[in-house]
Amino acid sequence: MWWLLVRVTFCLITVLPACSATGSNTLFPPLPGEPTRTIHVVSHDWHAGIVVQQSDIHQADWPKLAEFAHMDYLEIGWGDRAYYRSPEPGLFLGAQALVFPTTSVLHIVGMNRPPEATFPNSEIIRIELSAVGFAQMIRRIAQSFSRDENGSVISLGPGLYGFSRFFASEEKYHLLMTCNSWTAVVLQAAGCPVNPTLTVDGLLSQLRNLGEVQQEKPDRH
């Protein structure tokens, strides 16, 4: 009967975001003349990543990631630890991640080229945040990293593509906090009026109204 539980879970997740509160828009959109920071949201089939310029990050708000010091851009993603790190996760790991609270990871990718050059086959949405909203978003992401007894982040090995690594996260992946829900919550911290959602399409459909589609996915039409 596990398949029935998965179907019920799916239905609940697609309905619950309608009851969720959107982020405060006292920070978004930025006021005319206000300092801004540009981010990009990149679609990766089943989830999305947030790309930021490393020079925009106030380093006191961000964990020390020495291996990424030479990178111009960072892409940040989050998800279930077992599913995200598995080369072939399959249906069982996906169902387990939805039904039971599980451990999670952050996926950090370093890039020296802008996102449209790094991800030519992905939809990319450009969003302008206020400088204050951007800083709040960065602090929200930083809070997700697990720390060891010395206060250092915990690396879990190489990531999925490019120059990337997985890091342990404090947060639990569960029914109400999936990878796309997490991205929405992080953007809420920046003031973006976006609701948590199960699917990447549900997330991007909201973000297209908040920013500019810088690059469309080739097979979208």
Side-chain angles (χ1 to χ4, degrees):
M1 295 295 289
W2 66 267
W3 59 271
L4 180 60
L5 187 56
V6 172
R7 290 186 64 182
V8 171
T9 299
F10 181 86
C11 292
L12 284 172
I13 289 181
T14 54
V15 170
L16 284 173
C19 304
S20 302
T22 56
S24 166
N25 37 346
T26 58
L27 297 173
F28 188 89
L31 297 174
E34 184 179 9
T36 61
R37 301 290 184 268
T38 301
I39 67 168
H40 295 83
V41 178
V42 181
S43 172
H44 293 297
D45 295 327
W46 53 273
H47 80 109
I50 298 174
V51 177
V52 302
Q53 290 194 67
Q54 188 154 210
S55 60
D56 288 338
I57 298 175
H58 189 260
Q59 292 304 309
D61 295 333
W62 189 245
K64 185 177 181 181
L65 304 178
E67 59 267 63
F68 293 97
H70 62 296
M71 294 295 179
D72 295 330
Y73 298 87
L74 297 177
E75 185 197 32
I76 304 153
W78 179 89
D80 173 76
R81 185 177 296 191
Y83 190 93
Y84 210 164
R85 297 177 68 200
S86 174
E88 296 182 6
L91 182 60
F92 176 76
L93 283 180
Q96 178 177 271
L98 286 176
V99 175
F100 304 105
T102 55
T103 55
S104 64
V105 290
L106 289 142
H107 185 245
I108 307 296
V109 184
M111 306 177 292
N112 281 321
R113 299 190 300 169
E116 63 270 21
T118 306
F119 305 111
N121 297 314
S122 297
E123 180 173 355
I124 300 174
I125 299 176
R126 180 179 183 268
I127 302 174
E128 290 293 323
L129 302 177
S130 66
V132 174
F134 177 86
Q136 290 192 179
M137 181 189 74
I138 290 298
R139 287 193 289 269
R140 171 61 181 82
I141 296 171
Q143 290 170 0
S144 186
F145 284 88
S146 294
R147 311 285 180 134
D148 63 18
E149 62 274 10
N150 298 315
S152 299
V153 297
I154 301 169
S155 176
L156 298 176
L160 295 176
Y161 48 80
F163 187 86
S164 60
R165 296 195 74 79
F166 283 109
F167 294 90
S169 172
E170 285 290 286
E171 302 179 78
K172 292 292 186 181
Y173 187 104
H174 55 77
L175 175 66
L176 300 179
M177 186 61 77
T178 64
C179 53
N180 294 305
S181 298
W182 184 89
T183 301
V185 168
V186 165
L187 292 171
Q188 284 181 1
C192 292
V194 56
N195 280 317
T197 178
L198 172 66
T199 66
V200 68
D201 287 339
L203 177 65
L204 295 183
S205 66
Q206 298 179 75
L207 298 183
R208 292 182 195 118
N209 297 320
L210 304 180
E212 174 188 356
V213 178
Q214 186 166 346
Q215 177 175 282
E216 291 190 356
K217 190 172 181 177
D219 60 355
R220 184 179 163 195
H221 296 294

